[in-house]
Amino acid sequence: MEKYPGKKNIAVFISGRGSNLRSLIKYSKKKNSLIKIKLTVSNNPNAEGLKYAFKSKIKTYGIKFKNKSNFEKNVLKLLKKNNIDIVCLAGFMKILSGSFIRKFSRPILNIHPSLLPKYKGLNTHERAIKNKDKFAGASVHKVTEKLDSGKVILQKKVKILKSDNVKILEKKVLKVEHEIYPKAIDKFLTNL
Ligand code: GAR
């Protein structure tokens, strides 16, 4: 039997621009999509992405991150109240605690701008260029208590050209991120 029948209720967590959020909203509106985005949460009340979600009639919550345990407590309440099945981190720049991950007890996915397991953490493009890598890319993975280390669901490469700088590479990888996050969600939900 299918473990996740019907459309899944999704909460997207962001910290800023929200271009991945936009691509997920676009995907969620497709007839055959497997998800419904019920809410967007940000640790930054001024996050640009919240405006887009609001315009798209998605409930938005900007919750100041003064204290991690308070933030997580409030967010857990929201997730429960909205019957959220899956959390998708999309440019969410805070690290969720093990206690949050255990208490939520449903899947949390993340998009990371590198070919994991390479370059966990920050400044991924800078490091790829500095190391003269031939490829960079993006990965969608399950979130576990160990940073950027959960099982990879989908990843896609882009070629690094000699002329690429961090800004150019970021743009190339971001394009791939927008493509693979919806696909990874589909894959995750159909392969359970
Ligand atoms: C994206 O490149 C995402 O992969 C990255 O932040 C950017 C957010 O852009 N996430 C991380 O680095 C998480 N460690 P967006 O707000 O336009 O989606």
Side-chain angles (χ1 to χ4, degrees):
M1 200 175 84
E2 202 193 345
K3 200 170 162 190
Y4 285 93
K7 289 213 187 219
K8 295 297 142 205
N9 290 334
I10 303 287
V12 183
F13 289 15
I14 63 166
S15 293
R17 180 177 53 194
S19 70
N20 276 290
L21 165 69
R22 273 206 295 273
S23 101
L24 292 181
I25 292 176
K26 219 167 131 192
Y27 156 73
S28 74
K29 286 183 176 157
K30 289 195 174 156
K31 209 171 105 205
N32 297 329
S33 97
L34 303 174
I35 62 166
K36 174 173 172 39
I37 301 180
K38 286 202 78 178
L39 56 132
T40 302
V41 174
S42 180
N43 59 299
N44 165 16
N46 298 319
E48 198 56 34
L50 287 181
K51 294 182 196 160
Y52 186 85
F54 185 76
K55 271 194 215 146
S56 309
K57 302 197 166 42
I58 293 167
K59 283 190 249 178
T60 57
Y61 296 89
I63 303 174
K64 278 199 181 141
F65 198 95
K66 277 189 214 137
N67 164 314
K68 188 183 220 151
S69 113
N70 268 347
F71 174 87
E72 292 189 341
K73 222 160 115 189
N74 289 330
V75 173
L76 274 170
K77 269 192 215 153
L78 277 174
L79 299 180
K80 213 170 170 186
K81 198 171 146 206
N82 287 278
N83 200 18
I84 296 301
D85 299 302
I86 299 179
V87 165
C88 290
L89 309 183
F92 183 66
M93 304 310 277
K94 296 284 180 191
I95 297 172
L96 295 168
S97 72
S99 150
F100 179 93
I101 295 169
R102 284 190 301 274
K103 280 187 186 143
F104 176 55
S105 79
R106 291 175 176 193
I108 304 177
L109 309 183
N110 181 41
I111 185 138
H112 184 73
S114 80
L115 295 170
L116 289 172
K118 263 193 157 178
Y119 310 132
K120 296 170 185 174
L122 300 174
N123 306 319
T124 54
H125 304 316
E126 233 165 276
R127 289 188 276 161
I129 289 175
K130 200 167 163 207
N131 287 339
K132 300 195 169 21
D133 289 356
K134 289 200 163 50
F135 293 95
S139 311
V140 177
H141 66 95
K142 264 196 91 175
V143 171
T144 61
E145 292 185 35
K146 221 170 149 206
L147 182 70
D148 298 331
S149 299
K151 190 172 183 247
V152 170
I153 298 160
L154 198 63
Q155 57 186 192
K156 190 166 174 177
K157 285 181 187 174
V158 301
K159 220 171 174 176
I160 303 180
L161 303 177
K162 284 221 169 76
S163 52
D164 284 352
N165 57 31
V166 173
K167 223 172 153 188
I168 293 172
L169 188 57
E170 193 210 324
K171 213 170 159 189
K172 289 205 297 203
V173 172
L174 200 58
K175 197 166 165 221
V176 158
E177 292 184 34
H178 300 159
E179 179 193 329
I180 68 167
Y181 212 169
K183 281 189 184 159
I185 293 174
D186 261 359
K187 184 175 172 196
F188 181 73
L189 288 172
T190 46
N191 285 328
L192 282 165

